[in-house]
Amino acid sequence: MSLWRDTVLGVATQPAVKQLVKDHALARPLRQRFVAGETIDDALAAARALNREGFRVSLDHLGEDVSEPAAADAAVNDYLALVQAIAHAHVQSGISIKLSQLGLSLDRAACQDRLERLLTAAQTVGVFVRIDMEGSAHTQETLDVLRAVWPRHHNVGVVLQAYLHRTGCDLEDVLALGATVRLCKGAYREPPTIAYQARDEVDAAYARLATRMLEAPNYAALATHDPALLAHARAEAARLGRPRDSFEFQMLYGVRRDLQQALVREGYRLRVYVPYGREWYPYLTRRLAERPGNLLFLVRSLWAEQRGNGARAA
């Protein structure tokens, strides 16, 4: 899977490939499966539909690595509008953010100020904020910002990535702080010196970290679509006597909807991460890199179109 991920991410960053995928009409079904739409109204409609089915939601306005302060200011304003829209619509949803979208690479102090404005507004209306983890270049700064805002804001948690060698130590630090963790495998392209490359190594790391999270008193959020890891987490929760309202599973919008429904039927909490917005391409390429079947979905659509065109030409 490491070779597959590296290949897809390498190809996807080529400008010609990016333009082709963004412009081609047949990329639309794939985009619509994994991205709720481009507007707040699209996101709220998806959240309402998921709430009706018994799911919790985390809305993410897509975007990352802004290159100027004005773009970071625009991003935080978009999120402030989203927080108010969630409150007014009475949907059960938190939000997910990336600190690079708030200008982390430009000015950490200004980024933290934008985050605190957002946390204050979200706390007022009871909206939880999850800080997404990005590439390893941002890992330490992201955790430093979390630690800096925590004394004033407890409506915030962070994502940790199981495939990074450092995550065991980071998890202990965040648990000691008292914050909540969303554990995922990790989807960025990282070298062997920083991250596990083999699937079995990543899975073993995830299982160890999930057990540690369930041992701790902190609310736990376990993000995976892997049936074996889901079974591991359920068994560990039962062994440790964890009430089902003290942790939740999390999955991506459009991914393994069968598993999502099955977990809710079994009485587990399930939160769906719902991205929306115009900056969908980096997110979509990571979904393609995670699972060959996602790319095959697009290829089948292209093949069907070509067959249809050939039939009409004949």
Side-chain angles (χ1 to χ4, degrees), residues 171-197:
L171 176 60
E172 294 301 328
D173 289 343
V174 177
L175 292 176
L177 187 67
T180 71
V181 170
R182 173 186 190 261
L183 180 67
C184 67
K185 287 188 179 183
Y188 290 85
R189 192 179 187 182
E190 302 288 1
T193 53
I194 291 175
Y196 297 112
Q197 304 294 303

